[in-house]
Amino acid sequence: MAKRIRLEKRIVSESDRLAAGLARRFAEARVLVVNLMSSPGAGKTTLLEETARRMSGDLRMAVIEGDLATDRDARRILKAGIPCHQINTGGGCHLSARQVADALRQFDLGQLDVLFIENVGNLVCPAEFDLGERRRVVVASTPEGDDKPIKYPVAFHKADCVVLNKIDLLAATDFSPEAFRQFVRGLKPSVPILELSCRTGEGMEGWLTWVRTERQAAARGTPRGCD
Amino acid sequence: MAKRIRLEKRIVSESDRLAAGLARRFAEARVLVVNLMSSPGAGKTTLLEETARRMSGDLRMAVIEGDLATDRDARRILKAGIPCHQINTGGGCHLSARQVADALRQFDLGQLDVLFIENVGNLVCPAEFDLGERRRVVVASTPEGDDKPIKYPVAFHKADCVVLNKIDLLAATDFSPEAFRQFVRGLKPSVPILELSCRTGEGMEGWLTWVRTERQAAARGTPRGCD
């Protein structure tokens, strides 16, 4: 058992070392890097498609897509006119700093304003792994139920922003936005909670404002954690 | 790296050995054990509540609940009149055979017809771990999108039954039941796909029939994989 613990520590510290190096590169390039996490099907890819459509010409975006299998999401992003690189993890339940470092060969960071990393759809494992991102966003959606924050506390506790998607389905579900907000605030009192529907466009302006504001902070070149 | 591989092999074989022992116990007790997997919020707990309500007096049920945190789901199941034991995994992304073996101390298998194990909400990791179950059920839901089978192929490939929940939300989403069925059949041609809504009750009879049929097979005492 002692051997197992030592081994785990070594793997984690190697990953953290890589992530810290990525964070430095991102800060130097003054690019906003956002690590997007959610359950499968909460709407991460649709959020990026809609962001691309509305940001067109405004900010230079790129996307790294993480999925167990298929390049379906990358094809959707490319169709939206955004440079995109697909990572297939095989059975892997989260993206790693090593995979992100390798994927960066596909992009010229100096030519980007915002890089989104769409993690594997999984509300558990991705939360444990730093990818060097400046900001972490958790996307929840109303059909999943309002109790997800307290049932998956690590992901929500580490979030810099919580997006609540599919508010167009509120009337068709038992979801209580008030309960959801209370559960999130109980874990992280000051985190922004942005309620929106990628489908109807309601609330999208708030999300775009958050991205633009964070982009301006990244462009000032301060290291993450220092603003 | 060789050390890491040897260590992983040792952990997996210990887990498989435990699971094989559980499978023998379940077969001897002639109890149907179902391992339920899904994304967070697909409706596993609601399916169990509705199953309990409709099976009342018909079959003797019990539930093992797996969650990272909280006993919310166990409280819901107990309120439905069903014996239930909650496992909190902390950060753990799946239930283990060891956790199930420990939880069994709470139940008299000889007094049960069906034991449901509700795994952690995660469409990736639980699929890799045998818990000794006779049957594996994946619960998908329409708001997650029809492409989940090919994006999370391991879970669907290993399923003995696929439940498609929340068909009451079909009209409010872009979900294509035909595409979903094709994706599932591409991975596992003969798996039953049961379309239902726990909310409206539509399709629930098909699910109850599946449970009763599988219960009869388990009651014949044949080991799993031999019927």
Side-chain angles (χ1 to χ4, degrees):
Chain A
M1 188 51 97
K3 210 179 259 180
R4 183 178 171 186
I5 289 165
R6 278 204 304 277
L7 186 73
E8 281 182 355
K9 272 191 185 161
R10 192 158 57 76
I11 293 167
V12 169
S13 77
E14 166 70 4
S15 167
D16 284 348
R17 196 184 57 75
L18 266 167
L22 287 173
R24 279 194 299 274
R25 276 181 72 186
F26 296 149
E28 280 162 23
R30 305 193 173 210
V31 61
L32 169 63
V33 179
V34 177
N35 185 354
L36 270 180
M37 300 176 190
S38 81
S39 304
K44 296 184 297 305
T45 314
T46 309
L47 180 66
L48 292 179
E49 286 175 315
E50 287 303 308
T51 306
R53 205 166 63 81
R54 288 156 201 266
M55 285 287 195
S56 177
D58 190 347
L59 291 177
R60 297 166 298 174
M61 282 175 55
V63 174
I64 295 173
E65 278 291 342
D67 281 294
L68 268 69
T70 84
D71 64 348
R72 288 174 69 88
D73 288 356
R75 281 189 278 130
R76 287 171 58 185
I77 297 296
L78 288 167
K79 204 171 163 188
I82 302 299
C84 182
H85 178 71
Q86 177 81 52
I87 298 171
N88 278 151
T89 64
C93 53
H94 62 89
L95 288 179
S96 68
R98 164 57 58 205
Q99 287 167 324
V100 171
D102 290 346
L104 286 180
R105 292 185 201 130
Q106 312 295 323
F107 303 105
D108 178 355
L109 283 183
Q111 298 300 312
L112 288 181
D113 297 313
V114 188
L115 173 64
F116 288 103
I117 303 171
E118 185 182 332
N119 221 310
V120 174
N122 180 342
L123 215 42
V124 188
C125 313
E128 304 284 352
F129 293 85
D130 182 4
L131 304 180
E133 71 273 1
R134 189 178 185 87
R135 292 290 181 258
R136 227 172 234 225
V137 174
V138 171
V139 181
S141 64
T142 57
E144 295 171 58
D146 49 40
D147 61 354
K148 291 304 157 290
I150 51 169
K151 290 186 66 187
Y152 300 85
V154 180
F156 285 87
H157 177 69
K158 292 187 175 178
D160 299 302
C161 174
V162 172
V163 170
L164 174 61
N165 190 21
K166 307 191 190 179
I167 57 167
D168 55 304
L169 296 180
L170 265 179
T173 66
D174 302 323
F175 191 97
S176 159
E178 187 48 45
F180 180 79
R181 278 180 227 121
Q182 280 185 15
F183 288 142
V184 172
R185 301 273 188 235
L187 292 161
K188 194 150 190 183
S190 62
V191 72
I193 301 173
L194 309 177
E195 300 176 15
L196 55 83
S197 165
C198 291
R199 193 183 173 85
T200 66
E202 189 184 345
M204 278 298 292
E205 203 46 56
W207 162 249
L208 299 178
T209 300
W210 183 85
V211 174
R212 286 191 191 101
T213 306
E214 292 295 339
R215 154 63 187 154
Q216 284 164 5
R220 287 194 293 272
T222 47
R224 68 171 177 173
C226 300
D227 55 347
Chain B
M1 188 50 96
K3 211 179 262 183
R4 181 178 172 186
I5 289 165
R6 276 204 304 277
L7 186 72
E8 281 181 354
K9 271 191 186 160
R10 192 157 57 77
I11 294 166
V12 169
S13 77
E14 165 72 3
S15 167
D16 285 347
R17 195 184 57 75
L18 266 168
L22 288 173
R24 279 193 300 274
R25 276 181 72 185
F26 297 150
E28 280 162 23
R30 305 194 172 209
V31 60
L32 169 63
V33 179
V34 177
N35 184 353
L36 270 180
M37 302 177 188
S38 81
S39 305
K44 296 184 297 304
T45 313
T46 309
L47 180 66
L48 293 179
E49 286 174 315
E50 288 303 308
T51 305
R53 205 167 63 79
R54 289 156 200 265
M55 285 285 194
S56 179
D58 190 347
L59 291 177
R60 296 166 300 173
M61 283 176 54
V63 174
I64 295 173
E65 279 291 341
D67 280 294
L68 269 68
T70 83
D71 64 350
R72 289 174 70 86
D73 287 356
R75 281 190 279 126
R76 287 172 59 187
I77 297 298
L78 288 168
K79 204 171 162 189
I82 302 299
C84 181
H85 178 72
Q86 177 82 52
I87 298 171
N88 279 151
T89 64
C93 54
H94 63 89
L95 288 180
S96 68
R98 165 56 60 207
Q99 287 167 322
V100 171
D102 290 346
L104 286 181
R105 292 186 201 131
Q106 311 296 321
F107 303 106
D108 178 356
L109 283 182
Q111 298 301 311
L112 289 181
D113 297 313
V114 188
L115 173 65
F116 289 103
I117 303 171
E118 185 181 331
N119 220 311
V120 174
N122 180 340
L123 216 41
V124 188
C125 313
E128 305 285 352
F129 293 85
D130 183 4
L131 304 181
E133 71 273 0
R134 189 177 184 88
R135 291 291 181 258
R136 230 173 230 225
V137 174
V138 171
V139 181
S141 64
T142 57
E144 295 171 58
D146 49 39
D147 62 354
K148 291 305 159 290
I150 51 168
K151 290 184 67 187
Y152 301 84
V154 180
F156 285 87
H157 177 69
K158 291 188 176 178
D160 300 301
C161 174
V162 172
V163 169
L164 174 61
N165 188 22
K166 307 192 190 178
I167 57 168
D168 55 304
L169 296 179
L170 265 177
T173 68
D174 302 324
F175 190 96
S176 160
E178 187 49 43
F180 180 79
R181 278 181 228 121
Q182 281 185 16
F183 289 142
V184 173
R185 301 272 187 234
L187 292 162
K188 194 149 190 182
S190 62
V191 72
I193 303 173
L194 308 178
E195 301 176 15
L196 55 83
S197 165
C198 291
R199 193 184 173 83
T200 66
E202 190 183 346
M204 277 298 292
E205 202 46 55
W207 162 249
L208 300 179
T209 300
W210 183 86
V211 174
R212 286 192 192 103
T213 306
E214 291 296 340
R215 154 62 189 153
Q216 284 163 6
R220 286 195 292 273
T222 47
R224 66 170 179 178
C226 300
D227 55 348

